[in-house]
Structures are given as C-alpha cells and as structure tokens.
Amino acid sequence: MTVRIAVAGASGYAGGELLRLLLAHPEVEIGALTAGGNAGAPLLAHQPHLLPLADRVLEETTPEVLAGHDVVFLALPHGHSAALAAQLGDDVLVVDCGADHRLTDAAAWQRWYGGEHAGSWPYGLPELPGHREALRGAKRIAVPGCYPTVSSLALAPAIGLVEPEVTVVAVSGTSGAGKAPKANLLGSEVMGSLSAYGVGGAHRHTPEITQNLSAVAGRPVKVSFTPVLAPLPRGILATCTATLADGVDAARVRAAYQAAYADEPFVHLLPEGHWPTTGAVLGSNAVQLQVTTDPDLNRLVVVAAIDNLAKGTAGAAVQCANLALGLPETTGLSTIGVAP
Amino acid sequence: MTVRIAVAGASGYAGGELLRLLLAHPEVEIGALTAGGNAGAPLLAHQPHLLPLADRVLEETTPEVLAGHDVVFLALPHGHSAALAAQLGDDVLVVDCGADHRLTDAAAWQRWYGGEHAGSWPYGLPELPGHREALRGAKRIAVPGCYPTVSSLALAPAIGLVEPEVTVVAVSGTSGAGKAPKANLLGSEVMGSLSAYGVGGAHRHTPEITQNLSAVAGRPVKVSFTPVLAPLPRGILATCTATLADGVDAARVRAAYQAAYADEPFVHLLPEGHWPTTGAVLGSNAVQLQVTTDPDLNRLVVVAAIDNLAKGTAGAAVQCANLALGLPETTGLSTIGVAP
Amino acid sequence: MTVRIAVAGASGYAGGELLRLLLAHPEVEIGALTAGGNAGAPLLAHQPHLLPLADRVLEETTPEVLAGHDVVFLALPHGHSAALAAQLGDDVLVVDCGADHRLTDAAAWQRWYGGEHAGSWPYGLPELPGHREALRGAKRIAVPGCYPTVSSLALAPAIGLVEPEVTVVAVSGTSGAGKAPKANLLGSEVMGSLSAYGVGGAHRHTPEITQNLSAVAGRPVKVSFTPVLAPLPRGILATCTATLADGVDAARVRAAYQAAYADEPFVHLLPEGHWPTTGAVLGSNAVQLQVTTDPDLNRLVVVAAIDNLAKGTAGAAVQCANLALGLPETTGLSTIGVAP
Amino acid sequence: MTVRIAVAGASGYAGGELLRLLLAHPEVEIGALTAGGNAGAPLLAHQPHLLPLADRVLEETTPEVLAGHDVVFLALPHGHSAALAAQLGDDVLVVDCGADHRLTDAAAWQRWYGGEHAGSWPYGLPELPGHREALRGAKRIAVPGCYPTVSSLALAPAIGLVEPEVTVVAVSGTSGAGKAPKANLLGSEVMGSLSAYGVGGAHRHTPEITQNLSAVAGRPVKVSFTPVLAPLPRGILATCTATLADGVDAARVRAAYQAAYADEPFVHLLPEGHWPTTGAVLGSNAVQLQVTTDPDLNRLVVVAAIDNLAKGTAGAAVQCANLALGLPETTGLSTIGVAP
C-alpha cells in the first residue's frame, strides 16, 4: 500500500515534524509541500534537517495543488482549515493539526477563538476512551492540542477516583509557539528565563482539556491550567494534581493507570521510582508518566512528559492517519527518544 | 561602619553568590574564605567570576579560621552548621544558608532530615508578618530555602482569602542543586529536558512552606508542592493556586497583595497585564509577582519569580545581616536584574 | 557631580544594558528614554528587569526630547546616528553604540555598509595603544563593535610578535543580533544548535578588526574572521591564532601580554592554567584572556572572553563616557561576573 | 540476515546512542548489554529514552557475557579495549568507539595517551580516500574521534589545494565529554557559558586529525586545533581555514568538494548560500558542510556540522559495521535530523 500525502504548511514546525516522521513511514509517498508566504522557496531554506527532500520547492497552499493526494495534512494557522478542507473532496483524508475542529461546543469555540464555529471532527486522541473506534476509517480528523494531549492522558485514568476539579501546570519548550518571529520568543529572551502565560484559565487549551476530561467523567470537570515557558525547543512536562475521592488509595490509583495503558503502544506508566523527563521522549511518539499520592493531603499527583511536536502534534497526526487508513496504528512511529 | 565577614563554604554556589554580593556591599570587609575539600585551592579555580578576589586562597573551615569576624556566613551541607556555630561565640552574627535551623518542629525535622534537631533560629524572611522585628539585632539567622521563599511570599497575602490547601508547582534552574557533581545534573542531562522530582510531598522544602503559611494563618495550611527542574542555571518560577474563600473576588485579592507589599523594597506586585519572568530578576534580590483569579473555578492563581541564589539564598542572607547589624535593609542589594 | 544622561533606543538590548549600568553609576541622573516604534510604551514592557525605572514611559527619539542632557547615548540601528548627533549641539557628549562612526576609511565604509560615510569619531577602546588620550574630554565617541573589542584586545599585544595574518573564530551568544524578531533568532532555532554566519570575511566587523590591528602594527594586518552563533544570551569567546615571528617564544609572548595589561582595570590575563569562560564575565566589564603557543606549529593561540552587551557595548560606552567627562574610568563599572 | 550484537558500556552516552540506532536497524538483534559500575541496574535507569529495552538489566562487562555475539561494540573508557578484544575471538566483529586503536604511530600514542600502544585497527571513516575498502570484511574497527571526523571530512578535499597548515576551531556540545560526573560539566556551569579547552595543540584529537590529513596529503600537514565547549548536549560545528595554494580559486575548491562527496550518502555539500547548523543534523548520521574563500586573504574557509554522538561516534560505528558485515552501508542510518 502506498499512500500519497501532501502537507499544507510545510515550512513551519508542525509541518517539518510531519515530514520528518513521514519520511520514515514505510507506506507513504510524499507529494505536494505547500506554504503561505514561503511558497516558492526551497524547502531546504526552512527545513534544513530534511536532507532527502532538499531539492523540493514549496508550492502555494491551494486546493488545486493539494488535489490528487490520499491524505492531506493541514499545519496551518487557526481558522484556515475549514474552507480548505471543504474543497478537498470527501474521499480525501484530511488531518488537521490546527484547532478549528477540536471543540464540540460552538459557544466554547466562540468564547475562546471568536468567529464562527466550523464544527467538530473526530478527535485524534485514540488513547481516550471511545476515541479509537471513531478514528478508524474517518475522513476528517482534528489533531488535539499539545497541552490537552499530555493533560488528558495524565488525568483520564483518574477520573472517578478524584474530585472533579484538577490542577495542571504544564512546562513547555518553545516550539509549540510556532515559527512566526515574535520578540518574546527570541532566543535571547527565552534562554535563561522562565515565564508563565495564559494564567487564570486564559489559555485556549483550557476548554479542550475540560472537554476531554468531562467526557470521560460524564459530568463537568473543572480544570485549572497554567502553562509555563521554559528554555528548551521541545517537550512538555505536566504536573497534575487533584483531591482523591473518599476511600481511594495509592494502590487503587496505580491499578487504574496500569489497566488504562497496559495495551497502549505509546503511553508508558513508568515503574515506581522512575520519573518522566521530556528528554527521554524527544523526537518520539511516547508518553511517559508516573503517578503517586501525597499522604499529607490525600491528593493525587501525576507527572507526564511528551514531545509537543511529536505525540503532541505530528506524531498524533500520523498515528490517527494510520488508524483512518486501516494501517497498524504504530506504523512509522517510534517510542525511542533522542537523548541526551 | 566596617563589618568584617567570613564565608564558610566559599567554593560552592551559595558561597560564590554571597561573595559576589558582599563585594558590592559598602560596609563590608571580606575576611576568611573557607572550604572543605577545596581548601588550599585558589578561589579563582572555583569562582572565576570574582576577579577582585583572584589572589585569595581557600582555607580550612575551622572555628579558628572563622574566629575574629563580625559576621560568619555558613554555606555548608546540611548538618554542619550547629556544631560550628556553637564554637563561634555568641557575639558573632552567624547567618546559616543551610537547613539546620529553619524548622521549629523537632518532629518535622526528624521526619524530613533525620538525626537530631539542632533547634531553630530566627527565620530570615523579613517580608513575612512578624519576622522583620525578630531579625533586628539577632545573632543567629536561618536563611530560608529557595522554594519556601518564593512560595511563601507568593501565598502569604492570600491567607484568609483562600481555603487552607494550596498547590505549588515551582520550576527551577539547576544551581539550587549545588555544585557537587551528579550525573543527573550534568549539562548533557539537563539541557533540552524537563524533570519533576520530590513529587507527592516528598521534597524537604514542603514542611518549610507549610510552617510559614500555617504561621500566617494561625491554623494548619496544607501544601501540595512539586518542584520541576528546567534547563537554566538560575531562577525559580512558582505557580501557586488555591480555592478562593466564599465571597472573595479578584479586587479584594489584589488589594490584599498591594497592601502586603506596598512598602517592601524587594517584593514587586507587577501592574496588571505584566507577568513575572525569572530572567528579569536574575542576579537581583527582587521578587516579581502577579496575581489573578480564574473565573471558571473560583480559584486564585499567583505566579512569582526569584533568583534562587540571590533572594533565594545569598541575597536574603545579606538582607537579614543588614537587619541584624542595624544597617539599612537594602544596603548592597539591588532590584535590577541582568537581562537578557 | 551629577551628569544628566539620555538614552536613545532604550527599548533594545544595548539600551537596556546601558540603563542597567547607569542605574548603578553614582554620578548619573537618568533623563529621557526614547525609542522608535516602541515610543509611548511603558519601559517595563520592554525592560522588565529595570524595576527602579518601572514607571517610566518611552518617548519619541527626537532632538527635542534628547535636548538638555549632558550625555546622550545612542543605541540605534546603523545609519541613524549622524543626523541625530548633528542636532544635539557640540557641547553635548554623544556616545554612539552603533557602527556609523567607527571606520576611518570612507571606502571601507562604503564597501561594508553602503551609503555615505558619516566620518569617524574617537574610537572607544581605551586599552588600545593611543586611544585613551583621545577619549579624554571628547564630545563624540564611537563605541566599538563587540567582536572587534574582544578580537583587538586579544591580539593587539601580539602585534610585532606574529606574522601579520591572524585567524579569529568568535563564538557568540544571541543578544548581539538584537531584539528585532527574526525567525533564525527564535529560541526554538538557536537552542540546541550552532551556526556560522558571515563566513569568508563577509561580516561587517572584519574591517573594524583589521583597522584596529593594522593601526597597532603600523602596516596592514590581514584578518580571517568567522563568527559562530551559540545557544546563550550573552558572551563572546574568541579563539585567535597567528604564526609566531622568527625567534619569538612563549615567554616573550606572555611578557608582552603582561606588560600590555598590567595596569588595565578591565583586561585580565589569567594565571597560567586558567582559561577564560564567558560565564565568568557575564554582566561585567571585564575581559578575561589567556595566551599560549602551540609547540608543533610555532603558533600563538589566544582565547578571550567578554560580555558582548557589557564590555562589548554598554560597558565600553560608560567607560568611555567616564573618560570624556573626566571621571575615574571605572566609575559605576564592575569586574565581577554573575555566575553560575 | 540477523546479526546478534552486544554493547559493552551500555550505560554511557556512546552506548545509549548505539542502542538507539541499533533498535532501528532491520538486521540486528540486540543481545548482551554490559556496564562497569552500573552492572546490575536496569537499563531504564540510565537510558530512559530506550523504552523498547526498558526491561533489560545491565550485565558485567566480561568476555564471557560478551561471547556468542556476531558483533561487539565497545563504548569503554580509553585503555580498556585491547585486552577485552583479545578475548573475543577473531571471528567476532569488534567495533571500538574508544581511542585505543586509532593512531598508527606508537610514539604519537605514547605522547598523547601514555602507556603501551595497543596497535592500530582499520580506521572507521569510510569517506576518507582509501578507507572504505579496508573496512569491508574487517573484524576489528577503530571508530574515529568526533572532532577528527568532522575536521577530516571538512578538510580532506582541500588537501593539495591549500598550504599544509590548517586551523580548526570546533565548537562542541557537552555529550562528547561523557557521562562521568565532573563539576565543570554540570548544567549550572555549561549553560550560559562558553569555554575553550585543550588549547595550543593540547587536545588528544590533534594527532588524529594530523594523521588523517597527512595521509591524504602524502606529507605532513600541520593542524592548529582548538575545541570550544558550548551549551548544548549534541553537535559539533567546525570552522576550518587554510591558505590557498598558488593559483587556486573558489571555483576549483568547490569543484573538489563536489567531486569528493557527490556519491557519499552521508556527507552533504550544501548549495551555495546555505550554511550548516548542528541542529539540522541532530540525531542523524549526516555531515553538512559549506565551503568558501575569503577574497581579501586568499584563504579557504570550510564550516562543517555533525552530531558528535551519531556520525561522530555511534553512527560511524554502525556505518562501519554495515561495511564489515557486507550490508548496504546506510542500513539503519538516517540523514534526517531532529529539528528544531
């Protein structure tokens, strides 16, 4: 089986990571690579690490250029996916790395993103209960945000074992903020400094985490979410806490996590005494997590690590495309990090 | 007034930062510089940034060498301070950067550090209610831990306005872990990676934060504390959350912080819309903080930044020594960071 | 003596560093702070580390706003200084951190910068032979480039002892490239990567190094200069090599460096066996250097470290202003680095 | 074909990188993993990024444990390889990542490493003239040092076109210094700082570069080599310069590099105007290089980038093992970097 794919937004970080993974995918043939303002430039100028594609030139992101592929990956700024997808044909698998189709609630969309809600697509987090089946054979997939991925996987097995109010502080590298030049993302600013942003529930990923955990719970779960920017290119480490429900102890929590992820190829509950680091998942599709309880507070603490560009974006996109195409879910993906 | 000072532990990070600050202190004459295993070496080999002291040689840390100074700063591993201080004379001001005399509760000491409790000394966080007076004229001072400093200052004004259970996730640079070589602190390990440690209330700074906040509250406050190690040498950014008490709104919270710190020379509540970064306090004795509430959760969120070696250790030591000596509290200290 | 100063370009890195140093300068009163596109913004938004100036607002960079100061520091993009300085009055000390007045040769200016040569001003590297006297009482000063500063100080004492062709590879942090957002300077790009630029004599600092060394030699010195960008905000480490002249040995070289810098307050030849690091000079006006010879090649090797924003820009500006104003040259400046 | 391999020194950086690459090698079965002081520990404790081997335990490095494999990779401290290899049988392919068998000249060995010379093995840099053939079917292979790899590949095509004295300044990440804890390699020391070491021809890789280039030249080539340590885990960027021989121009130089590497799968001369970065080769076996001439000096400048752990160590080891085993040289290796 050879699947012909295109990547729209191939000059950015998500696009580059998609191509890095797809170059190692045995069933894929890489077709059109498109961009907005960077159209016309050699790919090498924007993705110098992708030597096998060094002679490619970026084309314009248009429906015509993207036509004729089995799968189109969209790595575009928010708000650009719906119109483009509408012109790609219902038989084409469209995998959207942007936010346009993640939220099911139109009011939530309006509040957090503004503008008209483009509707929701099957949500690309197969490890969440009920999601894998919806992805098999799907033709439209909304890839989750990076923070919602790590936070939801860290907390989903605890739903029912904790009070429905959770706290997430997620420390992230800078690539999640994208490649558009901004003064606060300059190396001189981020190296040697830590900063919080979107504090007080002000980050757009908050409603997505809330949506995921509430769906698992079958009732509203409140999410206190604070992202922190740290000086590294890739990786998110999320520290998640919640008050244990009455009568729940550490053993029961651990058993729940073991049961939830025993058969998951990418989510790894570490042996007791080992703690996740983002360095260990760099470049891989793995999620590493550890869970414990704080005896003095009757509180659950989960720490989880992902690579925001891999499992947090492009790896999830490939994983879901595999499901949609009927390929083994792990095809072309790895759980081996690049460390140190 | 010329105060003759000695630094025990002058080859480490806390010792180096003490010397950096004391070199800029107008009332200080730097006397003996001592070390353990590094005794006999030129200071330049361990503190190459302290050029004005380039011709100094490290002496043995003994009571004899430390005798004859007005102030002795101890920057020693835990457990070494009490015996040494006992031999220094009651008229000498001893400022201990270690943990030995921070906890007032002997049982807590035993649980977290083991061994016999050496007793507690006046606690060197003048900005906490009631502490400044106890430091004036003191002859023994316990400098707080770096995490307790930032966490306690971030949350103290909220005590009474929030439920007595707080969550702190504090991201830190590596210098707080000291200069003793360990594989997990190698540059190759920490650059490009994030890791949590001491999770589930397992970090020794937890009881110290608990002690501080409970003292302010006049009743037990529970503290969920998780430290995260990030790739930078200096700086701690703490994200602190707690459920607001009934009827408390954002304006009342903000007013409480403004009142608490309006006259403090080193603690700065930033104007609304500005968020702290550790880069902005690098090398300075300043604390920058911002406070908000999460409307969906009825929750307080405070973010605070310090330099762990400055306000978190050596700057606090100098600030407290100023108080103890009757000097203006800010002598030799700065609120200007070294950025970018 | 109170000197009233203004800083044009106060929202950038050079401007911020000037203010950081001037806040610690005992003879200075800080007047107007101006900017281009950032005029109207609070200084805090751009320089959050300068808390004592937190209530200042950036004004427009105009002759009117800059009028009425004893000293005006210009930290502007190339090409903006000459016209502005012409409107500031001959009695005002103008210290230009930009390149406009560094090169004495109009043809060289045209080749490297284009446009009309604005003429040359006294060159602000007092440690170069003959330069200190020209700076005393000067009313116009051209602050050297950061690479020329470290390279010229590293090699000047060797002139006459080596063949007149030198090789400089200077590794630099990112702040020298400024605060204007560019994709290649994003944290995601620079962290975890090294890159060379301006290779093959293509960097504009090459003619400035050449000018300095040729002036010392009294004949043309050829300079092979390659800058390398490394993942740190501040610091330049230059490795400089040249073939020893006939009959010159290591002892004679060392003696020349000792003689050249014995009385210099900011340039430190380290004891044998110690090598410079940029971390040791971070935030300080110091230059640390070491010199050796390679016995197999009859070649001199000098390694020198500076902070590009301090001695490399703003520190030099203050040092030269001190000279011009008749103040002690070291006023307000430090040789103590902020490490680790 | 299934090749059964063992790795001695599996807890270190070179050992970890070997395993990362071998896990992706289609013809390999991973057998014994051994260590010195870390024997008995789970591999996960030392290589948390190698999840597929998470249940492996490190065994003692003994001939008995290493027996019964087709290939044994040695990633041991210097001086340990010869005795061990002697006990492994002549039919076993032994690939030594250490220095023991790199130098052909016993006197050079004695001068630089001390002790008795263990003899030389076929040198694992297939891209150097004459080396590939010697590696086909070899049973003993000496993997080059990381600095010699990048320097030799950067300069070999220029031999004959430049004067026989070259200058190399190579900036490196920290992983090349290994995982043994040392104070100067702590994250707190290396982040935010640059340092030179082994200056003046004092680094042990100098004679290896000299040996390689002299062999290409057929006469002695003198090498001025200075390594610089920079704050990143992986990557070496080498800047190499030499005086052009009479009558050699830029076009002729470029043609020589194109000819030398046109058919090499891992060495990429970039198109004009593109410059190598280490980020672009991170995790890959690629070498990226660019060449230019400095018109004012009649001088060649070559910049080359590698990942010191991949092409600089473990990637070269796998590449050479492929050659020795008769497999396609590129099996299991990639030219795709992990960026950003």
Side-chain angles (χ1 to χ4, degrees):
Chain A
M1 173 176 186
T2 294
V3 181
R4 191 163 164 80
I5 68 94
V7 173
S11 62
Y13 289 144
E17 186 72 353
L18 278 164
L19 290 171
R20 186 179 75 84
L21 298 175
L22 293 167
L23 280 166
H25 194 293
E27 314 288 350
V28 154
E29 181 190 325
I30 296 176
L33 309 180
T34 78
N38 294 321
L43 185 70
L44 186 65
H46 296 280
Q47 311 287 9
H49 59 302
L50 303 177
L51 283 177
L53 300 171
D55 58 354
R56 291 294 195 90
V57 172
L58 290 160
E59 299 178 81
E60 283 280 351
T61 300
T62 65
E64 294 70 31
V65 172
L66 296 171
H69 298 85
D70 303 306
V71 187
V72 175
F73 291 95
L74 304 180
L76 303 172
H78 302 325
H80 289 63
S81 300
L84 194 58
Q87 298 178 267
L88 291 177
D90 292 345
D91 57 330
V92 177
L93 170 56
V94 180
V95 183
D96 183 8
C97 296
D100 292 15
H101 305 91
R102 292 175 190 160
L103 297 185
T104 55
D105 182 35
W109 174 267
Q110 287 248 347
R111 173 178 167 197
W112 292 93
Y113 291 90
E116 201 180 346
H117 187 219
S120 68
W121 289 354
Y123 187 76
L125 197 49
E127 296 88 353
L128 274 195
H131 282 61
R132 184 169 277 116
E133 283 316 306
L135 294 164
R136 293 194 205 281
K139 288 296 182 185
R140 294 289 184 275
I141 294 172
V143 177
C146 51
Y147 289 122
T149 293
V150 67
S151 306
S152 302
L153 294 176
L155 284 166
I159 296 302
L161 304 177
V162 296
E163 298 298 324
E165 179 167 332
V166 300
T167 301
V168 177
V169 177
V171 189
S172 177
T174 55
S175 58
K179 210 172 184 172
K182 293 174 191 164
N184 67 315
L185 297 172
L186 284 174
S188 300
E189 297 292 312
V190 296
M191 292 186 290
S193 192
L194 298 162
S195 55
Y197 65 107
V199 186
H203 192 284
R204 287 170 168 179
H205 283 179
T206 304
E208 195 179 333
I209 306 171
T210 303
Q211 172 179 295
N212 290 347
L213 297 180
S214 298
V216 174
R219 61 170 175 159
V221 173
K222 289 188 172 181
V223 178
S224 166
F225 171 61
T226 309
V228 173
L229 197 69
L232 68 170
R234 287 179 182 233
I236 301 180
L237 190 88
T239 300
C240 310
T241 71
T243 300
L244 290 169
D246 281 351
V248 175
D249 63 7
R252 190 160 154 210
V253 165
R254 189 160 198 88
Y257 278 79
Q258 283 170 328
Y261 296 132
D263 297 329
E264 286 297 341
F266 295 117
V267 187
H268 296 259
L269 177 65
L270 293 174
E272 291 189 68
H274 294 259
W275 288 91
T277 66
T278 63
V281 297
L282 194 150
S284 96
N285 207 49
V287 184
Q288 292 198 2
L289 51 82
Q290 184 56 286
V291 57
T292 193
T293 56
D294 185 329
D296 292 341
L297 282 90
N298 196 40
R299 207 165 171 89
L300 171 82
V301 188
V302 189
V303 177
I306 63 165
D307 181 328
N308 57 297
L309 288 181
K311 178 60 177 166
T313 306
V318 173
Q319 183 183 353
C320 293
N322 286 340
L323 279 168
L325 295 165
L327 292 168
E329 187 173 337
T330 59
T331 310
L333 295 169
S334 164
T335 60
I336 305 167
V338 182
Chain B
M1 174 175 186
T2 294
V3 181
R4 191 162 162 80
I5 68 96
V7 174
S11 62
Y13 289 143
E17 185 71 353
L18 277 164
L19 291 170
R20 185 179 75 84
L21 298 175
L22 292 167
L23 280 165
H25 194 294
E27 312 289 348
V28 154
E29 180 190 327
I30 296 176
L33 308 180
T34 77
N38 294 323
L43 185 72
L44 186 66
H46 297 279
Q47 312 287 11
H49 58 303
L50 302 177
L51 283 177
L53 299 172
D55 58 354
R56 292 292 195 92
V57 172
L58 291 160
E59 299 179 80
E60 284 280 350
T61 301
T62 65
E64 293 72 28
V65 171
L66 296 171
H69 298 85
D70 303 306
V71 187
V72 176
F73 291 95
L74 304 180
L76 303 171
H78 301 327
H80 288 64
S81 300
L84 193 59
Q87 297 178 269
L88 292 178
D90 293 346
D91 57 329
V92 176
L93 170 57
V94 181
V95 183
D96 185 7
C97 296
D100 292 15
H101 305 92
R102 292 175 190 159
L103 296 184
T104 56
D105 181 35
W109 174 268
Q110 287 250 345
R111 174 180 167 196
W112 292 93
Y113 291 90
E116 200 180 348
H117 187 218
S120 67
W121 288 355
Y123 188 76
L125 197 49
E127 296 87 353
L128 274 194
H131 282 60
R132 183 169 277 118
E133 283 315 305
L135 294 164
R136 293 194 204 281
K139 286 297 182 184
R140 294 290 184 272
I141 294 171
V143 177
C146 51
Y147 289 122
T149 294
V150 66
S151 306
S152 303
L153 294 177
L155 284 166
I159 295 302
L161 304 177
V162 296
E163 298 298 322
E165 179 167 330
V166 300
T167 301
V168 177
V169 177
V171 189
S172 176
T174 56
S175 58
K179 210 172 183 172
K182 293 175 191 163
N184 69 314
L185 296 174
L186 285 174
S188 300
E189 298 292 312
V190 298
M191 291 185 291
S193 193
L194 298 162
S195 55
Y197 66 106
V199 186
H203 192 283
R204 286 169 168 179
H205 283 178
T206 305
E208 195 179 333
I209 306 170
T210 304
Q211 171 178 292
N212 290 346
L213 297 180
S214 298
V216 174
R219 61 169 176 162
V221 173
K222 290 190 171 181
V223 177
S224 167
F225 171 61
T226 308
V228 172
L229 197 67
L232 68 170
R234 290 178 181 232
I236 300 180
L237 190 89
T239 301
C240 310
T241 70
T243 300
L244 290 169
D246 280 351
V248 174
D249 61 9
R252 191 160 153 210
V253 165
R254 188 158 199 89
Y257 278 79
Q258 283 170 327
Y261 296 133
D263 297 329
E264 287 296 342
F266 295 117
V267 187
H268 296 258
L269 177 65
L270 293 174
E272 290 188 70
H274 294 259
W275 288 90
T277 66
T278 65
V281 296
L282 195 150
S284 95
N285 207 49
V287 184
Q288 292 198 2
L289 50 82
Q290 185 54 285
V291 57
T292 192
T293 56
D294 185 329
D296 291 341
L297 282 89
N298 198 37
R299 208 166 171 88
L300 171 82
V301 189
V302 188
V303 177
I306 63 165
D307 180 326
N308 57 297
L309 288 181
K311 178 59 178 167
T313 306
V318 173
Q319 182 183 353
C320 293
N322 286 339
L323 279 169
L325 295 165
L327 292 168
E329 188 173 336
T330 59
T331 310
L333 295 169
S334 165
T335 59
I336 306 167
V338 182
Chain C
M1 173 176 187
T2 294
V3 181
R4 190 162 164 81
I5 68 94
V7 174
S11 62
Y13 289 144
E17 186 72 353
L18 277 164
L19 290 171
R20 184 179 76 82
L21 298 174
L22 292 168
L23 280 166
H25 194 292
E27 313 290 350
V28 154
E29 181 191 325
I30 297 177
L33 309 179
T34 77
N38 295 322
L43 185 71
L44 186 66
H46 296 280
Q47 312 286 10
H49 58 303
L50 303 177
L51 284 177
L53 299 173
D55 58 353
R56 291 293 194 92
V57 172
L58 291 160
E59 298 180 81
E60 284 280 350
T61 301
T62 64
E64 293 72 29
V65 171
L66 296 171
H69 298 84
D70 303 307
V71 187
V72 176
F73 291 96
L74 304 181
L76 303 172
H78 301 325
H80 288 63
S81 299
L84 194 59
Q87 298 179 268
L88 291 177
D90 292 345
D91 57 331
V92 176
L93 170 57
V94 180
V95 183
D96 184 8
C97 296
D100 293 13
H101 306 91
R102 292 175 190 159
L103 296 185
T104 55
D105 181 35
W109 173 268
Q110 287 250 346
R111 173 178 167 197
W112 292 93
Y113 291 90
E116 200 180 348
H117 187 219
S120 68
W121 289 354
Y123 187 76
L125 197 49
E127 296 88 353
L128 274 194
H131 282 60
R132 184 169 276 117
E133 283 316 305
L135 295 164
R136 295 194 204 280
K139 287 296 181 185
R140 294 290 184 274
I141 294 172
V143 177
C146 51
Y147 289 122
T149 293
V150 67
S151 307
S152 303
L153 294 175
L155 284 165
I159 295 301
L161 304 177
V162 296
E163 298 298 323
E165 178 166 333
V166 301
T167 301
V168 177
V169 177
V171 189
S172 176
T174 55
S175 58
K179 210 173 185 171
K182 293 176 192 163
N184 68 315
L185 296 174
L186 285 174
S188 301
E189 297 293 311
V190 296
M191 291 186 291
S193 192
L194 298 161
S195 55
Y197 66 107
V199 186
H203 192 285
R204 286 170 169 178
H205 283 178
T206 304
E208 195 179 334
I209 307 170
T210 303
Q211 171 179 295
N212 290 346
L213 297 180
S214 298
V216 174
R219 62 169 175 161
V221 174
K222 290 189 172 183
V223 178
S224 166
F225 171 61
T226 309
V228 172
L229 197 69
L232 68 170
R234 287 179 182 232
I236 300 179
L237 190 88
T239 300
C240 311
T241 71
T243 300
L244 291 169
D246 281 351
V248 174
D249 62 9
R252 190 159 153 212
V253 165
R254 188 159 199 89
Y257 278 78
Q258 283 170 326
Y261 296 132
D263 297 328
E264 286 297 340
F266 295 117
V267 187
H268 296 258
L269 177 66
L270 293 174
E272 291 189 68
H274 294 259
W275 288 90
T277 67
T278 63
V281 296
L282 194 149
S284 95
N285 207 49
V287 183
Q288 293 198 3
L289 51 82
Q290 184 56 287
V291 58
T292 192
T293 55
D294 185 330
D296 292 342
L297 281 89
N298 197 39
R299 206 165 172 89
L300 171 82
V301 188
V302 188
V303 177
I306 63 164
D307 180 329
N308 56 296
L309 289 181
K311 178 59 177 167
T313 306
V318 173
Q319 181 182 354
C320 293
N322 287 339
L323 280 169
L325 295 165
L327 292 168
E329 187 173 339
T330 59
T331 310
L333 295 168
S334 166
T335 60
I336 305 166
V338 182
Chain D
M1 173 176 188
T2 295
V3 180
R4 191 163 163 79
I5 69 94
V7 173
S11 62
Y13 289 143
E17 185 72 353
L18 278 164
L19 291 170
R20 185 179 76 83
L21 298 175
L22 292 168
L23 280 165
H25 194 292
E27 312 289 349
V28 154
E29 180 190 327
I30 296 176
L33 309 180
T34 78
N38 294 323
L43 184 71
L44 186 65
H46 296 280
Q47 312 287 9
H49 59 303
L50 303 177
L51 284 178
L53 299 172
D55 58 354
R56 291 295 194 88
V57 172
L58 291 160
E59 299 180 81
E60 283 279 351
T61 300
T62 65
E64 293 72 28
V65 171
L66 295 172
H69 298 84
D70 303 307
V71 187
V72 176
F73 291 95
L74 303 180
L76 303 172
H78 301 325
H80 289 63
S81 300
L84 194 60
Q87 297 178 270
L88 291 178
D90 292 345
D91 57 329
V92 177
L93 171 56
V94 180
V95 182
D96 185 7
C97 296
D100 292 15
H101 306 91
R102 291 175 192 160
L103 296 184
T104 55
D105 181 35
W109 174 268
Q110 287 249 346
R111 173 179 167 196
W112 292 93
Y113 292 89
E116 202 180 346
H117 187 219
S120 68
W121 290 353
Y123 187 76
L125 198 48
E127 296 87 352
L128 274 193
H131 282 61
R132 183 168 277 117
E133 282 317 305
L135 295 164
R136 294 195 204 279
K139 287 297 181 185
R140 294 290 184 273
I141 294 171
V143 178
C146 51
Y147 289 122
T149 294
V150 67
S151 306
S152 303
L153 294 176
L155 284 165
I159 296 300
L161 304 177
V162 296
E163 298 299 322
E165 178 166 331
V166 300
T167 301
V168 177
V169 177
V171 189
S172 177
T174 56
S175 59
K179 210 173 184 171
K182 292 175 192 163
N184 68 315
L185 297 173
L186 285 173
S188 301
E189 297 293 312
V190 297
M191 292 186 290
S193 192
L194 298 162
S195 54
Y197 65 107
V199 186
H203 193 284
R204 286 170 167 177
H205 284 178
T206 305
E208 195 179 334
I209 306 171
T210 303
Q211 171 178 293
N212 291 345
L213 297 181
S214 298
V216 174
R219 63 167 174 161
V221 174
K222 290 190 172 180
V223 178
S224 166
F225 171 60
T226 308
V228 173
L229 197 68
L232 69 171
R234 290 178 180 233
I236 300 179
L237 190 88
T239 300
C240 310
T241 70
T243 300
L244 291 168
D246 280 352
V248 175
D249 62 9
R252 190 160 154 211
V253 166
R254 188 157 199 91
Y257 278 79
Q258 283 170 328
Y261 296 133
D263 298 328
E264 287 297 340
F266 295 118
V267 187
H268 296 258
L269 178 65
L270 293 174
E272 290 188 71
H274 294 258
W275 288 90
T277 67
T278 65
V281 296
L282 194 149
S284 95
N285 207 49
V287 183
Q288 293 197 2
L289 51 81
Q290 184 56 284
V291 57
T292 192
T293 56
D294 185 330
D296 291 341
L297 283 89
N298 198 38
R299 206 164 173 89
L300 171 81
V301 189
V302 188
V303 177
I306 63 165
D307 181 327
N308 57 298
L309 289 181
K311 179 59 178 168
T313 307
V318 173
Q319 181 183 354
C320 292
N322 286 339
L323 279 169
L325 295 165
L327 292 167
E329 188 173 335
T330 59
T331 310
L333 295 169
S334 165
T335 59
I336 306 167
V338 181

